[in-house]
């Protein structure tokens, strides 16, 4: 009775740990765990090993109360219960090997505490999820774990020969099921990534062609203007009207020269970017910013010939950062966007800075999904950016809001 009580209590502790909710133990959680432990002990004394089935139902109900998803609650509950069975068998083996007839409970509690501490450290320092993002995969995996669990319970009453046949069949079916589930997940993931990458490539190619067309038209206009300027200067020179030429230069040519100088785009530095996806997104965004009247600066002193992270995620992240910077500066007379890439031995740093014209809320509020300073349904950029950084362990995003500038620093660590 005491052993069943302790085993059941640890089940609920592990459930809270896997749900990343172990620091909040409500009165309802404690009461439910204690009552379930007592009920499980009583049921075990009545029906023996088959008490594991109603115990599974109690744990699933407890988990469902927190997740409100049956497939996730069944998946998490089976993970916890099968882990408890593994610890139970190891404890029995150690008790036998060490010849500690009364030491089972102490060994079991010690192993469970070590498991809780280890699991807590893993969950605190990683982004590992205890369930899959796809409900279908949760259901399939839960059914496979349920098959293993039912086999463990039922096989206790079988003779050795039949138990071996059933054991081989269960193991074979579970391995086949896991292989199919893993292949299906891989297929869906690859297809989704390919579709996203294809859409992004088409979008970038379209922007690239549009920018080439724009620059070509600007070049034609510049050639036409140049011819007109030369003709007008030629007339002043023919009549030796130097005073008129000086006045004409100050009023017409000097302002154009200043505007061209201010809008000069550092193509030499951009040519040092050898990663095509990064170069494409930088070219399209910075060119677009320039066409909106934003003063653009780009700096890269070393050749960037590779990145140590997912190129698609990096391109999307840079696109979000630059889109936000352009949106904040476009339409303002002194709008300025400064960007740079710093390549070091240990990391590649992408820096984007834009000046701020409006008062902004705290940074944590800007990163909330759905929040935007421009209105509703426009606040998914920074939350999506945070999600991208969180799923890439070698990415670090630093955001600073200074007195008159908004700075975002995206660091990609080298492996």
């Amino acid at each position: 009775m005491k052993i069943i009580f302790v085993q059941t209590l640890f089940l609920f502790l592990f459930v809270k740990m896997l749900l990343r909710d172990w620091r909040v133990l409500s009165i309802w959680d404690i009461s439910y765990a204690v009552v379930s432990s007592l009920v499980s002990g009583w049921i075990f004394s009545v029906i023996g090993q088959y008490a594991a089935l109603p115990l599974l139902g109690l744990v699933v109900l407890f988990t469902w109360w927190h997740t409100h998803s049956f497939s996730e609650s069944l998946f998490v509950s089976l993970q916890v219960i099968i882990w408890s069975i593994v610890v139970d068998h190891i404890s029995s083996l150690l008790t036998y090997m060490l010849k500690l007839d009364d030491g089972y409970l102490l060994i079991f509690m010690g192993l469970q505490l070590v498991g809780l501490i280890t699991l807590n450290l893993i969950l605190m320092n990683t982004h590992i999820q205890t369930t899959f993002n796809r409900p279908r995969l949760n259901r399939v995996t839960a059914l496979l774990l349920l098959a293993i669990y039912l086999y463990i319970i039922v096989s206790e009453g079988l003779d050795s020969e039949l138990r071996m046949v059933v054991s081989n069949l269960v193991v074979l079916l579970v391995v086949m099921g896991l292989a199919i589930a893993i292949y299906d997940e891989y297929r869906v993931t690859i297809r989704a990534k390919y579709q996203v990458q294809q859409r992004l490539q088409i979008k970038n190619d379209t922007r690239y062609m549009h920018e080439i067309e724009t620059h070509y038209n600007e070049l034609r206009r510049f050639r036409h203007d140049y011819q007109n300027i030369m003709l007008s200067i030629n007339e002043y020179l023919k009549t030796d009207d130097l005073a008129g030429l000086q006045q004409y230069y100050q009023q017409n040519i000097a302002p154009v020269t200043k505007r061209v100088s201010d809008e000069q785009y550092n193509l030499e530095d951009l040519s040092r970017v050898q990663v095509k996806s990064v170069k494409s997104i930088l070219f399209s965004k910075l060119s677009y910013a320039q066409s909106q009247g934003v003063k653009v600066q780009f700096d890269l002193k070393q050749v960037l010939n590779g990145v140590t992270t997912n190129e698609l995620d990096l391109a999307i992240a840079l696109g979000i950062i630059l889109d936000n910077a352009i949106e904040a500066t476009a339409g303002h007379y002194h709008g300025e966007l400064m960007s740079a890439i710093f390549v070091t031995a240990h990391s590649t740093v992408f820096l984007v800075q834009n000046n701020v014209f409006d008062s902004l809320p705290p940074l944590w509020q800007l990163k909330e999904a759905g929040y935007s300073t421009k209105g509703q349904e426009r606040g998914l950029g920074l939350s999506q950016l945070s999600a991208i950084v969180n799923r890439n362990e070698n990415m670090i995003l630093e955001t600073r809001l200074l007195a008159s500038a908004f700075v975002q620093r995206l660091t990609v660590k080298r492996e």
Side-chain angles (χ1 to χ4, degrees):
M1 182 69 177
K2 183 189 301 183
I3 293 176
I4 301 299
F5 181 82
V6 172
Q7 289 177 337
T8 307
L9 281 180
F10 271 107
L11 291 179
F12 292 102
L13 287 175
F14 269 96
V15 167
K16 294 285 287 185
M17 185 71 73
L18 286 179
L19 296 178
R20 285 183 164 89
D21 194 30
W22 66 274
R23 295 183 181 180
V24 182
L25 288 173
S26 65
I27 297 177
W28 185 89
D29 291 334
I30 298 173
S31 302
Y32 187 93
V34 172
V35 172
S36 297
S37 301
L38 295 173
V39 171
S40 299
W42 175 77
I43 296 177
F44 183 82
S45 64
V46 176
I47 60 176
Q49 66 190 33
Y50 296 102
L53 294 176
L55 175 60
L56 174 61
L58 291 171
V59 177
V60 170
L61 180 61
F62 177 81
T63 311
W64 176 85
W65 179 267
H66 291 277
T67 63
H68 299 290
S69 171
F70 178 74
S71 59
E72 291 186 13
S73 60
L74 182 61
F75 186 21
V76 171
S77 300
L78 285 167
Q79 290 181 66
V80 169
I81 289 181
I82 291 178
W83 165 254
S84 181
I85 294 173
V86 171
V87 175
D88 170 69
H89 284 64
I90 294 176
S91 301
S92 299
L93 181 62
L94 290 175
T95 302
Y96 173 78
M97 293 176 61
L98 298 175
K99 302 185 184 304
L100 300 173
D101 297 335
D102 298 325
Y104 168 84
L105 185 59
L106 184 62
I107 293 175
F108 178 83
M109 292 177 63
L111 292 177
Q112 288 286 57
L113 288 173
V114 171
L116 280 172
I117 296 172
T118 304
L119 180 61
N120 180 48
L121 291 175
I122 293 174
L123 294 179
M124 285 180 60
N125 295 284
T126 66
H127 300 288
I128 294 176
Q129 299 295 322
T130 54
T131 58
F132 300 106
N133 293 326
R134 294 177 56 207
R136 179 176 176 273
L137 192 57
N138 284 328
R139 290 193 293 269
V140 171
T141 310
L143 289 175
L144 294 174
L145 292 177
L146 182 61
I148 296 175
Y149 183 59
L150 293 176
Y151 164 72
I152 293 173
I153 297 172
V154 175
S155 64
E156 295 294 333
L158 300 177
D159 58 65
S160 58
E161 184 176 353
L162 180 59
R163 184 174 179 178
M164 182 177 295
V165 174
V166 175
S167 175
N168 291 337
L169 179 61
V170 170
V171 170
L172 180 61
L173 291 176
V174 169
V175 170
M176 289 177 60
L178 284 174
I180 293 172
I182 291 172
Y183 172 76
D184 183 63
E185 176 70 9
Y186 174 78
R187 179 182 60 82
V188 172
T189 302
I190 292 299
R191 184 175 62 182
K193 285 185 177 181
Y194 174 76
Q195 290 174 347
V196 172
Q197 190 169 10
Q198 191 176 40
R199 288 196 298 269
L200 183 64
Q201 186 65 43
I202 293 174
K203 184 178 179 181
N204 288 337
D205 289 345
T206 303
R207 283 182 175 176
Y208 184 75
M209 294 302 296
H210 175 72
E211 294 302 329
I212 289 177
E213 183 180 358
T214 301
H215 288 303
Y216 176 72
N217 290 332
E218 288 179 354
L219 182 60
R220 290 181 60 189
R221 286 195 298 269
F222 176 78
R223 184 175 62 182
H224 183 265
D225 293 341
Y226 175 79
Q227 290 175 343
N228 291 332
I229 290 172
M230 290 298 102
L231 288 173
S232 62
I233 291 176
N234 187 50
E235 290 299 320
Y236 282 103
L237 293 175
K238 283 182 179 180
T239 58
D240 291 329
D241 187 5
L242 296 180
L245 177 60
Q246 185 177 11
Q247 182 180 2
Y248 175 76
Y249 175 83
Q250 294 297 333
Q251 292 179 353
N252 297 281
I253 299 179
V256 174
T257 304
K258 185 178 185 303
R259 179 174 59 83
V260 172
S261 177
D262 290 342
E263 293 180 355
Q264 183 180 6
Y265 180 62
N266 196 343
L267 290 175
E268 292 80 8
D269 281 4
L270 189 61
S271 66
R272 295 191 180 102
V273 181
Q274 301 298 318
V275 184
K276 293 182 179 180
S277 58
V278 176
K279 187 173 186 176
S280 176
I281 199 72
L282 287 173
F283 178 81
S284 61
K285 298 295 183 182
L286 295 177
S287 297
Y288 175 74
Q290 190 181 54
S291 69
Q292 297 300 305
V294 179
K295 183 180 179 182
V296 175
Q297 295 182 22
F298 177 75
D299 185 60
L300 173 60
K301 299 305 181 185
Q302 294 178 260
V303 175
L304 178 64
N305 51 22
V307 290
T308 56
T309 190
N310 185 288
E311 284 191 30
L312 178 59
D313 281 348
L314 178 60
I316 295 174
L318 290 174
I320 293 172
I321 294 173
L322 290 169
D323 279 341
N324 290 334
I326 294 169
E327 187 176 23
T329 53
H332 295 279
Y333 179 73
H334 295 293
E336 186 173 356
L337 192 160
M338 294 179 289
S339 58
I341 301 177
F342 303 99
V343 181
T344 67
H346 304 289
S347 64
T348 303
V349 179
F350 300 86
L351 185 67
V352 176
Q353 176 179 320
N354 61 274
N355 44 3
V356 177
F357 298 94
D358 303 315
S359 59
L360 294 177
L363 292 176
W364 63 266
Q365 190 173 4
L366 287 174
K367 295 180 181 181
E368 288 185 345
Y371 180 85
S372 174
T373 59
K374 302 295 182 181
Q376 296 181 349
E377 303 301 329
R378 299 183 64 181
L380 298 178
L382 287 180
S383 63
Q384 183 183 2
L385 177 60
S386 298
I388 292 173
V389 173
N390 289 337
R391 69 171 175 251
N392 289 275
E393 294 185 355
N394 61 336
M395 275 191 187
I396 301 174
L397 177 65
E398 301 172 75
T399 304
R400 294 183 180 180
L401 180 57
L402 306 177
S404 60
F406 189 80
V407 183
Q408 290 200 281
R409 177 189 176 104
L410 182 63
T411 302
V412 179
K413 297 186 294 185
R414 296 185 184 276
E415 297 177 351

